[in-house]
Amino acid sequence: MFKDGFVMPQAASPTPAAPLSAEEVVALFRSRWQASYDMQIVTRRRRLYVQVMWAYLEQQSFPLTEDAYQEHLAEVLEVVNRLGEAAAVRAWLQTTKDRPRLGKALSLQLPGEGRLEEFLL
């Protein structure tokens, strides 16, 4: 069980989930929270986390253009997809009871500590 009460679903079959796309994640953000939130990959103590930040594309002070935002989101999701965690992140985004708010990002720890070096510099 994760910090926010999310339990990673067990895979019913060995077939991998469809990869997450930037378009799908933006649609999830907009349907859940009516904003296109920023998403980051963060490392702490040799663990990877996906974080949904409180800043969002529709904010006047958001530092990225829409194209740069889509590109950044695609890069973050590339890491998620390469780790094989698309289904877990998708389920978490669909079911988390929290929402991003000023000063508080949503955070999901990604498993795969053994493959972590592949994604760290």
Side-chain angles (χ1 to χ4, degrees), residues 2-42:
F2 293 97
K3 188 176 180 178
D4 68 352
F6 175 77
V7 177
M8 182 135 353
Q10 297 297 318
S13 67
T15 58
L20 275 168
S21 68
E23 295 79 19
E24 179 185 359
V25 170
V26 169
L28 272 168
F29 287 162
R30 288 179 179 163
S31 70
R32 295 275 331 264
W33 302 306
Q34 294 73 49
S36 306
Y37 285 101
D38 187 17
M39 187 179 244
Q40 302 284 330
I41 294 286
V42 178

Side-chain angles (χ1 to χ4, degrees), residues 6-83:
F6 175 77
V7 177
M8 182 135 353
Q10 297 297 318
S13 67
T15 58
L20 275 168
S21 68
E23 295 79 19
E24 179 185 359
V25 170
V26 169
L28 272 168
F29 287 162
R30 288 179 179 163
S31 70
R32 295 275 331 264
W33 302 306
Q34 294 73 49
S36 306
Y37 285 101
D38 187 17
M39 187 179 244
Q40 302 284 330
I41 294 286
V42 178
T43 57
R44 286 197 196 106
R45 296 189 202 107
R46 306 212 41 86
R47 292 193 177 120
L48 275 176
Y49 296 85
V50 170
Q51 290 191 328
V52 177
M53 310 306 286
W54 58 86
Y56 53 95
L57 179 63
E58 295 82 6
Q59 262 179 325
Q60 194 169 12
S61 62
F62 193 72
L64 301 175
T65 64
E66 188 166 356
D67 289 339
Y69 169 75
Q70 290 282 338
E71 196 173 299
H72 166 72
L73 202 52
E75 290 171 0
V76 169
L77 295 172
E78 176 67 21
V79 174
V80 169
N81 291 329
R82 287 181 64 198
L83 279 171

